[in-house]
């Protein structure tokens, strides 16, 4: 099956160097922050790939790369078989992808009525013409996400956090997309509201055949939403495969530590290994396997040699311990 979205060895580096004169006086070179480092994945039509990891691992950078807000420093991103640069240049392709942001209030224009916010993509892509047709389509979209058509006359500040996220989803759906990038869409919401939004997104996916790239640090949310799962650490995907397979049998030591941190009443009395140490700086990452300073299984090879991908029962793992059978 042809992938809707594909990333091939994608990297994104940010120049965080000091001004030129200060570098000359201090005798230092340029400094690059490696936010994303040679990441590859593909998403099949109608599926959900989730990326999970600690804050600062590069998840949100990938989300912005996926919709063209950032340009890759290296590698290639393709949407429906075409480079993302082509998709950005062609309105017919560009309207097929959209994004749901983490903070719904920050992504909504506070000076616009909700009806105008939802109608903007309809007008931009000429999907509806005339006031009556646009108003009717906006009413359908608001109803589809569990709001009232009359809510279109209100402003964003008149809604709760969950309702604002529903507005964001309605706006994302108004361009009739096939691919949605969801950057922690429920992290700012209460748990009960999170469940409502996640169930809404699942229903919309089944009804409209949507494909999701889902970004989250909440493993319970990820398990509920995902078909495929990618575990990120310091800009790299260290384990990737079917979500249930990874949750059932995690192989990479970092994945094991993340899953071990999930509260589980059935595990009372069982010894847990905490995630020790601090996340290294992406400006000066460790040599070899970037996880080795925090890994109990690290050896000299881990400290010196970057691990390659090892396929184990349909799951791709970047770990010397897995490749050598030490896990």
């Amino acid at each position: 099956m042809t992938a809707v979205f594909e990333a091939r060895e994608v990297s994104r580096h940010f120049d965080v160097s000091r001004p030129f004169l200060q570098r000359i006086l201090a005798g230092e070179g340029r400094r690059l922050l490696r936010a994303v480092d040679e990441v590859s994945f593909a998403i099949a039509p109608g599926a959900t790939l989730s990326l999970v990891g600690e804050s600062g691992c590069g998840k949100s950078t990938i989300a912005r790369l996926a919709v063209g807000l950032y340009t890759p420093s290296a590698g290639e991103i393709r949407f429906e078989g075409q480079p993302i640069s082509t998709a950005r240049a062609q309105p017919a392709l560009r309207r097929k992808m959209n994004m749901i942001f983490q903070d719904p209030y920050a992504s909504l224009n506070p000076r616009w009525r909700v009806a105008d916010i939802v109608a903007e993509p309809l007008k931009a892509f000429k999907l509806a013409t005339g006031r009556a047709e646009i108003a009717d389509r906006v009413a359908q979209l608001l109803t589809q996400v569990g709001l009232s058509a009359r809510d279109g006359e209100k402003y964003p500040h008149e809604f709760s956090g969950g309702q604002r996220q529903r507005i964001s989803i309605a706006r994302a759906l108004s361009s009739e997309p096939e691919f949605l990038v969801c950057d922690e869409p429920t992290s700012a919401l209460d748990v009960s509201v999170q469940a409502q939004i996640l169930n809404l997104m699942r229903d919309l996916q089944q009804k409209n055949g949507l494909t999701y790239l889902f970004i989250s640090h909440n493993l319970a949310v990820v398990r509920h939403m995902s078909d495929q799962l990618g575990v990120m650490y310091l800009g790299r995907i260290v384990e990737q495969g079917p979500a249930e397979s990874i949750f059932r049998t995690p192989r990479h030591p970092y994945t094991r530590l993340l899953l071990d941190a999930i509260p589980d009443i059935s595990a009372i009395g069982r010894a847990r290994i905490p995630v020790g140490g601090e996340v290294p700086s992406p400006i000066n990452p460790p040599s070899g396997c970037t996880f080795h300073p925090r890994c109990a299984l690290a050896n000299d090879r881990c400290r010196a040699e970057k691990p390659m991908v090892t396929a184990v029962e349909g799951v791709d793992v970047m770990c010397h311990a897995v490749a050598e059978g030490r896990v």
Side-chain angles (χ1 to χ4, degrees):
M1 183 180 294
T2 304
V4 170
F5 182 89
E6 187 176 7
R8 301 177 180 176
E9 299 293 323
V10 172
S11 297
R12 172 65 189 191
H13 303 157
F14 295 94
D15 191 339
V16 294
S17 306
R18 292 199 290 175
F20 176 73
L21 184 57
Q22 293 183 18
R23 295 204 314 271
I24 294 297
L25 294 175
E28 65 181 27
R30 303 183 76 89
R31 303 176 71 197
L32 293 178
L33 188 153
R34 302 175 183 275
V36 176
D37 191 13
E38 297 182 358
V39 165
S40 298
F41 60 85
I43 312 176
T48 298
L49 169 69
S50 292
L51 297 178
V52 66
E54 293 173 288
S55 296
C57 70
K59 306 186 300 296
S60 293
T61 301
I62 289 180
R64 284 157 176 74
L65 286 166
V67 294
L69 295 178
Y70 290 158
T71 302
S73 303
E76 185 181 40
I77 297 176
R78 302 182 74 86
F79 176 69
E80 293 190 346
Q82 299 191 46
I84 192 72
S85 57
T86 303
R88 288 203 310 269
Q90 296 182 6
L93 273 179
R94 191 171 73 246
R95 75 162 186 84
K96 292 184 179 181
M97 61 174 68
N98 219 322
M99 186 168 180
I100 301 172
F101 293 90
Q102 178 177 354
D103 185 351
Y105 191 62
S107 65
L108 302 175
N109 190 331
R111 298 185 179 183
W112 284 18
R113 296 183 187 273
V114 167
D116 296 325
I117 293 172
V118 176
E120 185 180 17
L122 296 173
K123 298 174 182 177
F125 295 110
K126 297 180 174 59
L127 298 175
T129 56
R131 288 186 178 182
E133 184 180 357
I134 291 174
D136 183 60
R137 180 62 181 143
V138 168
Q140 292 177 14
L141 287 164
L142 291 176
T143 303
Q144 189 175 18
V145 298
L147 296 173
S148 167
R150 291 174 295 181
D151 289 330
E153 297 303 312
K154 300 178 182 178
Y155 291 90
H157 72 269
E158 299 180 68
F159 296 89
S160 67
Q163 289 173 322
R164 289 173 193 155
Q165 197 60 285
R166 290 175 185 268
I167 295 169
S168 296
I169 294 172
R171 180 185 57 186
L173 294 176
S174 64
S175 65
E176 300 177 4
E178 297 176 6
F179 175 61
L180 281 180
V181 178
C182 311
D183 185 12
E184 307 222 29
T186 61
S187 64
L189 306 177
D190 293 336
V191 174
S192 60
V193 181
Q194 284 186 20
Q196 296 173 19
I197 297 299
L198 293 173
N199 289 332
L200 170 64
M201 294 178 67
R202 289 289 297 268
D203 292 342
L204 291 172
Q205 182 178 32
Q206 295 174 5
K207 181 179 179 180
N208 300 330
L210 297 171
T211 303
Y212 289 155
L213 172 60
F214 196 89
I215 310 295
S216 182
H217 63 272
N218 188 324
L219 289 167
V221 168
V222 166
R223 188 164 196 170
H224 179 70
M225 292 293 298
S226 309
D227 300 301
Q228 298 286 315
L229 176 62
V231 180
M232 291 196 68
Y233 184 77
L234 213 63
R236 297 176 183 172
I237 296 182
V238 296
E239 186 164 2
Q240 181 179 180
E244 276 306 312
S245 177
I246 293 177
F247 275 101
R248 183 175 60 252
T249 313
R251 293 171 176 83
H252 195 282
Y254 178 62
T255 308
R256 292 186 171 198
L257 292 173
L258 284 181
L259 296 181
D260 208 30
I262 301 176
D264 184 357
I265 195 169
S266 65
I268 292 177
R270 177 170 62 86
R272 292 175 179 266
I273 303 174
V275 181
E278 298 290 336
V279 179
S281 170
I283 298 175
N284 186 27
S287 61
C289 174
T290 54
F291 186 61
H292 84 254
R294 306 173 69 189
C295 181
L297 301 174
N299 59 15
D300 291 340
R301 183 186 181 192
C302 298
R303 299 180 185 94
E305 182 182 335
K306 177 182 174 180
M308 304 303 291
V309 173
T310 301
V312 183
E313 298 179 1
V315 176
D316 293 334
V317 188
M318 291 181 65
C319 178
H320 291 309
V322 172
E324 296 169 1
R326 292 189 280 118
V327 176

